[in-house]
Amino acid sequence: MTTKRVILIVLTIVSLIPVILSLISSINQPQVQSNLQLYQTDLVLQASEFSGESIDGFEQIRESVLGKNPYKAALKQYENSRTLSKKNLNQLEDNLEIINAQTTTVRESDNNNSFPIVLETNEQQKLQLEVSQQKKELDKIELKIGLLEIAQENTKKGVKTLNNLQESSVSPSLQNTAKTISNLWNNKPSTLAESESTIKQELRGWFRDYSLKKLYQIQEQQDNLIELEKSQQEQAEKAIIKLTVIAIIPVVGGLIGLGIIIFSLIQLAVKKESAILMLDQSLKWETPWKIEIPWQVLIVGFLFFGQIIIPILISFLSINLTELSLRGKAFYVLASYIALSAGGIGVLYLSIKSFFPLPKDWFKFSWLSNWIIWGLGGYLVALPLVVIISLINQNIWDGQGGSNPLLSLALEGQDIVVLAIFYFTAAIAAPFYEEIMFRGFLLPSLTRYFPVWGAIGISSLIFAVAHLNLSEVLPLTVLGIVLGIVYTCSRNLLSSMLLHSLWNSGTLISLFLLGSSNN
């Protein structure tokens, strides 16, 4: 065994440790999908306030779009979210209890060795923060459930929920908000002096407007009530437009994509030799290097650089992510990704430099070809496939399994600078770097040892696992397969980059529209 191979094995083991730990830790982390459903629920509640008096047949349209009873559907969604949040909280508290027990054992067994205790203490602090945040999120859900119960004309139950929250909440501001709202429906006008400022400060969207409406009715503030109802109608119109954009594009695109899939399958059955999906051996790349080169690039350029080198460099800068503003986090994400891309492409170049000039079709960028058709067509095909797999995936993971942290940040961000940074990172930088690494280099390299279908499948699985969230492995593998087929057939990296960019852009637009309803 050569020295180079020994070093590669050692680097592989070192690099895989944080990857495995990240995948394991993602098991107990909530998916952002549960938050997305609540954001969409809030948008539906806002849209439900649209009167539509001048539109013929509006009630039928409203029912088909928003459902027969939006309040009841919203209450059910929040109750499901409460169940999931309690499950997450119990898991975090169990983990914290285990860490506390381990810390006590370490202190008793070795008072002279403080290093393990420091590590445990850091983990304790992290878990304690997560427990505190989860409790606060659970309290917010309880507050909204109370209001939805009142909206369902179950005032007694809703007030009881709010009163219980006053006693159990870990947040003084949420306790005060629960008390304020409870007083509105307990007919205690003498306690309503600061109610308006509390409601405006602590509540958003439909929940804020619903509470303010009750307050203005009690105080007989007709001017404020008229202004509020006018604002509600404006917000309801915007919410309907947002819901339409979020729903129509995936539905229409998915139907077109389904048509393309059916056509391709029929073509494969009737004209097997000339079918698009006939990925035979003629589509293999001429690969001048052995498996050691892609192994080296993935481990050193992607994993070791991304999981070891960059975190060490960041630690020297003493950056505390929890203290950064949203803009600070956005710039941090962008800088980290640019560093990862530069390191990865640098290692890739040095690894294959000795094989220059490369054979035909390697890293091909051809502007004068049909790459736009391939990229757009691939996006349409990916829509129904990934959506179906994602629905199955949600049932498998039951809201657990983690998600890309960028999704949560994008939900929060309504700052144009933040959104521009996220868009550049997700829709330009990520497609450029990841398509070069996974489709431009890894997939063709694997065709030396595997059939084309096998190379597409293996490279797609590695692409999915590299995102470090177990719940995303299945849908990202399917997306990777579509990306691989598009690149293999088009022989043009621009086509898979366009598909990748369209996918990430669609996700970011949906997140922005959903997030804007609560900001």
Side-chain angles (χ1 to χ4, degrees):
M1 186 180 292
T2 63
T3 304
K4 180 182 178 181
R5 183 157 292 190
V6 170
I7 294 172
L8 266 180
I9 291 172
V10 172
L11 290 178
T12 300
I13 295 170
V14 171
S15 302
L16 285 178
I17 290 173
V19 171
I20 294 169
L21 290 175
S22 294
L23 290 171
I24 292 172
S25 67
S26 73
I27 293 174
N28 296 319
Q29 292 173 359
Q31 291 183 37
V32 75
Q33 186 65 30
S34 56
N35 281 339
L36 294 182
Q37 289 169 345
L38 291 184
Y39 274 82
Q40 189 159 345
T41 297
D42 293 348
L43 207 54
V44 169
L45 286 171
Q46 281 189 315
S48 69
E49 297 301 318
F50 185 64
S51 61
E53 294 172 354
S54 61
I55 302 174
D56 294 333
F58 174 74
E59 283 304 316
Q60 289 80 3
I61 298 171
R62 182 181 184 275
E63 187 173 322
S64 63
V65 175
L66 304 178
K68 192 172 183 178
N69 190 337
Y71 295 164
K72 185 177 180 180
L75 180 58
K76 184 178 179 181
Q77 185 63 58
Y78 269 95
E79 286 173 340
N80 291 339
S81 183
R82 176 174 61 185
T83 301
L84 182 59
S85 292
K86 286 182 177 178
K87 182 180 176 182
N88 292 336
L89 178 58
N90 290 337
Q91 185 64 57
L92 286 169
E93 288 178 334
D94 288 345
N95 292 343
L96 182 58
E97 191 175 329
I98 292 169
I99 292 294
N100 288 339
Q102 289 174 346
T103 304
T104 302
T105 303
V106 170
R107 288 182 187 276
E108 291 175 352
S109 63
D110 190 357
N111 291 325
N112 295 320
N113 188 0
S114 62
F115 182 66
I117 295 175
V118 171
L119 292 179
E120 297 290 2
T121 302
N122 290 338
E123 186 64 22
Q124 277 179 303
Q125 291 173 348
K126 181 184 175 184
L127 279 172
Q128 286 167 352
L129 179 62
E130 289 178 0
V131 166
S132 177
Q133 290 173 339
Q134 191 63 43
K135 284 181 178 179
K136 192 171 182 179
E137 287 303 313
L138 187 56
D139 288 345
K140 288 180 180 178
I141 291 171
E142 287 285 1
L143 182 71
K144 292 180 178 180
I145 285 175
L147 269 169
L148 287 168
E149 286 168 338
I150 292 170
Q152 282 279 90
E153 298 183 356
N154 198 342
T155 305
K156 188 175 180 180
K157 187 177 179 181
V159 169
K160 184 179 179 181
T161 300
L162 294 169
N163 289 339
N164 290 338
L165 185 59
Q166 292 178 52
E167 298 173 4
S168 63
S169 177
V170 297
S171 168
S173 63
L174 281 173
Q175 287 178 338
N176 185 47
T177 306
K179 181 180 178 180
T180 300
I181 297 170
S182 176
N183 288 339
L184 290 177
W185 276 271
N186 271 333
N187 297 317
K188 295 181 180 178
S190 60
T191 63
L192 301 179
E194 303 296 327
S195 295
E196 185 172 7
S197 61
T198 299
I199 291 169
K200 286 182 175 180
Q201 185 175 345
E202 299 296 333
L203 296 176
R204 297 287 181 273
W206 177 88
F207 298 95
R208 177 195 59 209
D209 293 344
Y210 188 75
S211 302
L212 283 175
K213 188 174 183 179
K214 178 67 174 178
L215 175 65
Y216 294 154
Q217 287 171 343
I218 292 172
Q219 296 178 336
E220 298 181 351
Q221 296 186 33
Q222 290 303 316
D223 290 342
N224 285 345
L225 198 56
I226 292 170
E227 189 65 31
L228 176 64
E229 289 174 350
K230 180 183 176 182
S231 173
Q232 274 187 304
Q233 290 304 303
E234 292 174 355
Q235 293 303 318
E237 287 183 35
K238 292 178 182 178
I240 290 171
I241 293 170
K242 290 174 184 178
L243 286 170
T244 302
V245 172
I246 291 169
I248 292 297
I249 294 177
V251 169
V252 174
L255 289 173
I256 296 172
L258 199 58
I260 296 172
I261 293 170
I262 293 170
F263 172 79
S264 300
L265 291 174
I266 293 172
Q267 186 189 47
L268 184 63
V270 176
K271 297 180 179 179
K272 192 172 182 180
E273 293 77 14
S274 59
I276 295 173
L277 295 178
M278 189 59 191
L279 301 176
D280 57 25
Q281 296 302 92
S282 65
L283 291 174
K284 275 192 168 189
W285 278 261
E286 181 186 342
T287 307
W289 46 76
K290 295 182 179 179
I291 196 67
E292 193 174 75
I293 296 298
W295 177 17
Q296 174 180 301
V297 171
L298 278 180
I299 294 301
V300 179
F302 194 84
L303 294 182
F304 186 74
F305 200 83
Q307 299 298 315
I308 306 296
I309 301 297
I310 291 180
I312 289 174
L313 291 175
I314 290 171
S315 68
F316 282 119
L317 298 175
S318 300
I319 297 175
N320 188 340
L321 289 177
T322 59
E323 295 179 358
L324 291 178
S325 64
L326 201 54
R327 278 195 183 188
K329 289 176 181 176
F331 279 112
Y332 169 82
V333 169
L334 176 60
S336 299
Y337 202 87
I338 289 174
L340 174 64
S341 304
I345 292 175
V347 171
L348 171 61
Y349 173 77
L350 294 174
S351 299
I352 64 174
K353 183 180 178 183
S354 60
F355 298 95
F356 286 175
L358 298 178
K360 181 185 176 184
D361 289 343
W362 277 91
F363 304 108
K364 189 175 178 181
F365 289 82
S366 178
W367 293 94
L368 301 176
S369 68
N370 56 356
W371 61 275
I372 294 178
I373 295 174
W374 275 108
L376 182 58
Y379 172 71
L380 296 174
V381 167
L383 276 173
L385 293 177
V386 177
V387 167
I388 291 169
I389 293 297
S390 295
L391 291 173
I392 297 170
N393 199 52
Q394 276 182 261
N395 291 325
I396 293 172
W397 287 100
D398 192 25
Q400 304 289 101
S403 296
N404 189 330
L406 183 62
L407 301 181
S408 297
L409 293 175
L411 263 178
E412 298 174 29
Q414 297 301 306
D415 180 339
I416 190 66
V417 174
V418 171
L419 292 171
I421 293 170
F422 284 153
Y423 183 82
F424 179 83
T425 305
I428 298 175
F432 179 79
Y433 173 55
E434 292 175 15
E435 292 312 304
I436 286 176
M437 292 294 284
F438 292 102
R439 255 62 63 180
F441 172 70
L442 180 60
L443 193 164
S445 297
L446 292 174
T447 60
R448 174 167 178 157
Y449 299 95
F450 301 96
V452 175
W453 268 110
I456 290 173
I458 294 169
S459 62
S460 299
L461 180 60
I462 295 172
F463 164 73
V465 171
H467 285 75
L468 303 180
N469 289 296
L470 283 175
S471 69
E472 294 183 341
V473 169
L474 270 178
L476 286 179
T477 298
V478 173
L479 178 62
I481 288 171
V482 178
L483 285 162
I485 293 172
V486 164
Y487 176 58
T488 300
C489 294
S490 68
R491 281 303 201 270
N492 192 345
L493 274 172
L494 289 174
S495 57
S496 61
M497 285 180 181
L498 174 61
L499 193 170
H500 200 148
S501 180
L502 286 172
W503 187 268
N504 287 356
S505 297
T507 301
L508 283 177
I509 290 170
S510 297
L511 290 172
F512 167 71
L513 292 175
L514 289 173
S516 64
S517 66
N518 269 3
N519 288 284

